[in-house]
Amino acid sequence: MRRATALFAALLLAILFSITHLTAPRAHADDCTGDWAIGIGGLGDNTSSIFAPYVDQPVGYNSADPMSGLNELNRLFWQHRNECPGDHIRLIGHSEGAGLVHAWVTAHQDVDNANAILLSDPKRAPGPGWGGLSSTPGSGIIGYPLAGVDDWFGGVPVLTVCNHDDQICDTSAGWWGYLFGGAHGRYDFNVWDYGDWDSGVWYR
């Protein structure tokens, strides 16, 4: 059973390399509002449309190329920080997008005046439950930035939200909740419903 789960997980992760369509949201001059948000969606959501109603800047990227998402997230963050150095910047990601925000924060642990919300993070470290999908045998084939699990966030406040029946962020859940129970979409995608300094794990 575990071998079958690992093979299915590896197959699902390999799908990342089969999607090529990309339509990027238009970048624009940023307004300095004091509190600004960037959102990045998951596999197939190349325009991060799941966050578009709630964030100042959705990330446009090719979800078949995770590095393109990480690089665009990095560009948008520093562009806004340079234009509006006093603004607090919120980062929010779902699924693959959460994994990319996770990797970005791990690489920028000392950044100030920013926080992150990770919804269904495949790179979630174990506890409660098991680790996310990136912990499964065979997941290493996808490489950086999505391979491996950790909670290396330094001083950046990071809130991880994982539904107990969502296989993407807890591989002990099995696939029923993900495939049939709506577990992967049962999150609050409104970045403004979370606090600037929320941190830890919400496991529900």
Side-chain angles (χ1 to χ4, degrees), residues 180-196:
F180 308 110
H184 196 54
R186 200 171 59 243
Y187 293 93
D188 181 356
F189 297 101
N190 188 342
V191 67
W192 307 108
D193 289 341
Y194 303 94
D196 283 359

Side-chain angles (χ1 to χ4, degrees), residues 90-145:
R90 301 169 179 238
L91 304 174
I92 188 169
H94 175 243
S95 195
E96 179 184 351
L100 296 177
V101 172
H102 181 139
W104 188 91
V105 172
T106 297
H108 298 85
Q109 296 182 18
D110 297 324
V111 73
D112 63 352
N113 205 16
N115 72 296
I117 300 110
L118 310 178
L119 309 178
S120 187
D121 178 13
K123 291 175 63 64
R124 187 181 77 89
W130 295 359
L133 195 61
S134 294
S135 68
T136 58
S139 64
I141 63 171
I142 63 171
Y144 183 80

